[in-house]
Structure formats: structure tokens, C-alpha cells
Amino acid sequence: MKQLSFLKKKNYINHQIAMKGGSYSLAMTGVVMAILVVVNIFASVLPTTLTQYDISSTKLYSITSNTKVVVNALKKEVTIYWIVQADAEDDVIENLLAKYESLSEHIKVVKKNPDVYPTFADQYTSEEVPNNSLIVECDDRSRFISYSDIYLTEQNMSTYSYDTSFDGEGAITSAIDYVVTDELPQLYILEGHGEAEFSSVFSEQIEKENIETTTFSLLNEDSVPEEADCVLIYGPTSDISPEEKEMLSEYAAGGGKLMVLAGPPEEGKLENLYNLLADYDVEVTDGIVVESNRERYAFQAPYILLPEIGTSEITEPLIEENYYAIMPIAQGLTVRDTSGAVTELLTTSETAYSKTAGYDISTYEKQDGDIDGPFALAVSVDCGNEGQIVWFASANLLDDMYNSYSSGANLDLGMNALSSLMGEREAVAIRSKSLSYNYLTISESTSSFLKVLMIGGFPLAFLGAGIYTIVSRRRRQNEPV
């Protein structure tokens, strides 16, 4: 009887302990749930910049420092109209717009359903307006951003396929900069010497970076127009006159900015144009530069050069991102300046030489009369009084094909040079973000090990931990009080 009474008393005590433990657990669960509800309510009112984190490899959901500078400097009210049907919103665009709205109280995003407002976009553009297009407006200025300008499709020349990239941030930031800026930078483009047409990527990038262009001729001018922030000479096929050379020299020496892309012409020479460099002890070599070092040319073509990139504010972004520029059909520049006014941006190897036969090359082997390198292929010249010349010794640098071969590095280099000459602008140089997949390749042995670990190792470890926990609890319950 005593043993039975003891067992009843023990069971009663265990029951009381279990009841207290259960009540305590229930109370703690309620407290935790209440805390979670409060935390969720608090988090819901926080901006997305504080509640969402971007772990994508290309930072698809992040805003760059360039955009933050532009947006934080806003003093005018900017409205972004999102032209989208109900339940057809693009998640990436929605996330991006939320970030813009959270960055500044001067930015407001307004949805406009084309089913409800079918003629709304007509007052801003005559183009077709697909779903998820945008219109950025400030006062009486506006810019239309088509969905096709946000998701870009470009041909990959190395894989003969098409790559898709997201350029939402670049397009929106450029549009904001455009609608709030009263005076845009002025690029004057010299004509009258058989200059080449801009490549499509170069032309589009100039427009995206809100640079206004004006073609002009010095034949009917006494000097370079004062309105010009920079003068561009793009792929001339004939020489400038001595008078034009003098006007351009005076312009640069007086603080003007000049950018030249000039390769070897098929006929004749560009002596007067080259004299712009000769004034600063830089000599332009006859012929076409070829490389004998296999690591310094591309596509088994010794005239498609992979130059060494020098350190400067123009080239630094390429160096940081491990990009390589491609210089096709280039002339060699020999720098004899000792004053430090000339910076070599791109250079050949020591074994490069210039084929004086030019476009009549019959062999890439070095022959009598060919000129030994090394050479500079691009230079930046300090002309004094804040004047500057940036010279690229290839007229084909910004061609669409070679820019594609360089994965966009050629365009970046050209635009970095242009923005450096015209003054740094934060709205520029926002690269589109690739949507291509990056696959992880592992060996067969590593794959087998991971399969065993995931399928067998982890489940057995959890099973063992569970058994140990159950056995430990039963032992404690059976221990005498």
C-alpha cells in the first residue's frame, strides 16, 4: 500500500510539473507570437532599402552610388508614371521603383493602367507603349522609357547567341537627370573631312547620358564655338586644313577639350591633324601596328590588338572590373614628351611593330622598312589652362562589332574619356546588369560526396540527435524525485 501511495504521489507531482511546463510553454508561445506580430507591423512600414537585401551576383536589386548622388540632390518634384495593366507588374521593375521612391521624398511613382487610361501616354510619346514602360516627368520636361529599353537583348559575338541584360537603373537615372537639368553638356562634332558615322551603341550611349550633340565645320567659323564643352573628331578620312589645325590648337591651349578617334587612312596622310599631337612631342607612326606577342592580339589577327592598360582616371574603371579593350587597325604613337604632360592610356608590347605597307599588307612578318615599337595606342595630353586632348589611334574603337567582342569595354573606355573631358556626371556609367545564368561546375567525385552527405549524412545525424533527445528525456522522467 505504501508503495502504491508513493507511486500515486509521484505521478501527481509529475502531472503538476507537466501542467506547469505546458502552461509556461503556452504563455511563452503567446508572447513570442505577439512580439512577431509587432515586429512584422513595424517592418512593413520601413522602406525597402532596410528590409530587402540583394544577394544576386550582378546586384540586380541594388542601387548604385551614382543613382544615390543624383536622387539625393533633387530639389524638384519628379513623377514616374508606370504604364502597366493590373496584375501584369514586372517584379524587378516594381522593386526598383520602390527603391527610387524610398530614396527621396521628391520622387513619386504613379501607376497608370492603359485599360483605364488608354490615351494617357499619347501626350508624352508617339511610340508604341508596351506593358511596364515608364514615363519620367518634371515640370514641362519628360522622357519615355520603353520596356525594350529596360530589358536589353544584344548579340554575343563570341557565342553566336543573344544575351539579355537589365538596364532599368541606367534608364531611369538618366531620365531623372534629363528632366531636372536645365543646361545639358554640349558636344560639338567636327565635320567636312569624311568623318565616320557614329556606331549605334555609341550614339545610344551619348543620348542616354544626356549629352546634346551639334555638328559644325570650322571652314565657316573663326574659332571653336564658346558653347562647346568638348569637340569630337570621329574617324576622319581626309586631313584638316592648317587654319583648322590652328583653331583647334588655340582651343585646347586655351582650356578647351578635344577628343580624337583617328586610325590610319586608306589613302593619304593626316599631317595637319597629327600636328595637334606633334605640338606636345607625340609622333604618329606611319602604317598599321601588328603584334608578334600572341597574348597581345585577338582572333588570330595580329592587327586586332589587346593593349596594356595604363593607370588614369579614364582607365581605372576597366582595371577594377578586369575588362580589356580591343584596338583594331591602329596607328602607333611614339611619346617623346619628357615634361609629364602626356599620359599613355593604352600601349603595345615591346615586340610590336608598324607595317608601313598599311592596308596593302601581304604578310604579318616583320620586313625591311617596318618600324619597331613599342607604341602608345591612346594618350591623354594636358594642354595647360585645364585644356586636354584624348587621342585614340583607331577609328574603329567604338564599332558595334569590336565593342561586342570586348564585352562593352571599348564603349566604357570611350565614354569614360568623354565624361572626363566634359566634367564628371553622376548619371553616367551605370552598366546594365546581365541576366545570364552562371553555372557552377564541380567534379564527379565532389558531386558523389555531396549526394552521400545530403541523402545519408544529414538525415542520419538528425535521426541520431532525435533518438538521443528522447532517451535523455525518458531517463529524467524515471529518476526518483
Side-chain angles (χ1 to χ4, degrees):
M1 290 295 292
K2 289 183 178 180
Q3 185 176 4
L4 181 61
S5 176
F6 173 77
L7 291 174
K8 287 181 178 181
K9 183 178 180 181
K10 180 179 179 181
N11 290 335
Y12 175 77
I13 293 173
N14 288 339
H15 179 70
Q16 290 293 105
I17 293 173
M19 287 290 291
K20 290 180 179 179
S23 300
Y24 177 76
S25 298
L26 184 62
M28 289 303 298
T29 300
V31 171
V32 171
M33 289 296 293
I35 293 173
L36 290 176
V37 170
V38 172
V39 169
N40 278 324
I41 293 174
F42 176 72
S44 66
V45 300
L46 292 175
T48 56
T49 52
L50 299 178
T51 59
Q52 298 180 5
Y53 298 94
D54 187 1
I55 60 173
S56 61
S57 60
T58 58
K59 296 299 178 183
L60 181 62
Y61 304 97
S62 298
I63 295 290
T64 64
S65 59
N66 303 61
T67 290
K68 292 177 182 178
V69 170
V70 172
V71 171
N72 291 336
L74 287 178
K75 296 180 180 179
K76 299 179 180 180
E77 302 303 314
V78 175
T79 303
I80 302 177
Y81 293 106
W82 187 8
I83 313 299
V84 61
Q85 294 172 313
D87 301 323
E89 295 88 346
D90 182 282
D91 292 338
V92 180
I93 295 176
E94 183 172 26
N95 179 282
L96 181 63
L97 291 175
K99 288 185 180 297
Y100 274 92
E101 205 167 22
S102 65
L103 281 174
S104 174
E105 60 182 10
H106 295 290
I107 294 180
K108 180 173 64 174
V109 177
V110 178
K111 281 188 183 180
K112 288 291 183 180
N113 188 332
D115 295 334
V116 180
Y117 304 95
T119 62
F120 174 78
D122 294 345
Q123 59 186 307
Y124 298 100
T125 180
S126 59
E127 298 180 36
E128 181 182 353
V129 182
N131 245 0
N132 288 293
S133 296
L134 305 171
I135 296 169
V136 180
E137 181 186 50
C138 177
D139 296 335
D140 59 345
R141 303 190 72 173
S142 65
R143 174 173 286 182
F144 169 64
I145 304 173
S146 175
Y147 181 75
S148 60
D149 296 325
I150 297 174
Y151 285 93
L152 307 177
T153 301
E154 298 178 333
Q155 186 175 5
N156 188 321
M157 302 298 293
S158 59
T159 62
Y160 299 101
S161 61
Y162 287 89
D163 295 333
T164 301
S165 59
F166 181 77
D167 195 31
E169 183 190 356
I172 295 173
T173 300
S174 174
I176 292 174
D177 181 66
Y178 171 76
V179 299
V180 301
T181 303
D182 295 325
E183 295 184 5
L184 298 175
Q186 302 295 314
L187 176 64
Y188 273 60
I189 305 164
L190 190 67
E191 63 179 2
H193 313 90
E195 286 83 2
E197 292 285 339
F198 282 4
S199 65
S200 61
V201 293
F202 187 42
S203 180
E204 290 168 4
Q205 192 66 26
I206 286 178
E207 180 181 356
K208 177 182 173 183
E209 298 187 5
N210 301 324
I211 297 172
E212 291 189 342
T213 60
T214 302
T215 57
F216 79 112
S217 172
L218 283 173
L219 297 177
N220 52 12
E221 299 280 354
D222 295 327
S223 62
V224 175
E226 294 181 1
E227 298 81 8
D229 292 309
C230 178
V231 171
L232 174 63
I233 303 176
Y234 189 86
T237 55
S238 62
D239 201 8
I240 62 176
S241 67
E243 292 77 15
E244 289 175 295
K245 184 269 173 185
E246 287 303 318
M247 282 188 276
L248 290 170
S249 293
E250 291 175 7
Y251 170 71
K257 314 292 184 180
L258 178 62
M259 179 169 163
V260 181
L261 287 88
E266 292 192 33
E267 297 180 2
K269 295 183 179 181
L270 309 178
E271 291 294 343
N272 292 320
L273 183 64
Y274 298 156
N275 283 337
L276 288 170
L277 286 180
D279 291 344
Y280 300 95
D281 293 327
V282 179
E283 177 186 339
V284 180
T285 306
D286 290 337
I288 295 175
V289 175
V290 299
E291 277 281 6
S292 60
N293 184 341
R294 182 62 187 87
E295 295 182 358
R296 301 298 292 275
Y297 64 87
F299 312 115
Q300 300 181 345
Y303 61 88
I304 301 179
L305 312 176
L306 294 175
E308 182 74 21
I309 301 179
T311 302
S312 76
E313 65 174 0
I314 295 173
T315 58
E316 196 64 36
L318 273 71
I319 296 173
E320 290 177 356
E321 298 295 331
N322 294 317
Y323 280 105
Y324 294 92
I326 292 177
M327 291 287 284
I329 314 177
Q331 282 182 290
L333 306 177
T334 302
V335 178
R336 306 191 187 282
D337 170 74
T338 58
S339 66
V342 180
T343 300
E344 298 184 8
L345 304 177
L346 303 175
T347 55
T348 68
S349 72
E350 295 285 339
T351 57
Y353 46 89
S354 183
K355 298 289 294 181
T356 54
Y359 288 92
D360 296 325
I361 290 177
S362 58
T363 176
Y364 294 121
E365 298 294 328
K366 189 173 183 300
Q367 297 174 304
D368 292 340
D370 293 340
I371 304 170
D372 290 325
F375 304 105
L377 301 174
V379 295
S380 174
V381 181
D382 182 355
C383 304
N385 298 318
E386 298 185 353
Q388 186 179 2
I389 298 174
V390 174
W391 189 294
F392 294 101
S394 171
N396 304 105
L397 174 70
L398 300 178
D399 282 3
D400 291 344
M401 180 176 66
Y402 292 112
N403 182 63
S404 177
Y405 284 149
S406 70
S407 300
N410 282 14
L411 180 62
D412 283 353
L413 180 62
M415 294 309 301
N416 288 346
L418 197 56
S419 63
S420 173
L421 290 168
M422 304 187 77
E424 291 294 339
R425 293 168 50 77
E426 297 296 339
V428 305
I430 301 176
R431 286 183 69 102
S432 58
K433 299 168 184 179
S434 175
L435 298 179
S436 302
Y437 293 103
N438 293 319
Y439 293 96
L440 175 63
T441 303
I442 58 177
S443 65
E444 187 64 30
S445 59
T446 303
S447 174
S448 299
F449 172 75
L450 290 175
K451 288 178 182 177
V452 171
L453 187 64
M454 297 297 181
I455 298 173
F458 285 149
L460 288 175
F462 283 113
L463 178 61
I467 293 173
Y468 174 79
T469 301
I470 293 172
V471 171
S472 299
R473 287 179 178 175
R474 288 184 176 177
R475 284 179 179 175
R476 288 196 297 268
Q477 289 177 356
N478 295 328
E479 289 178 355
V481 179

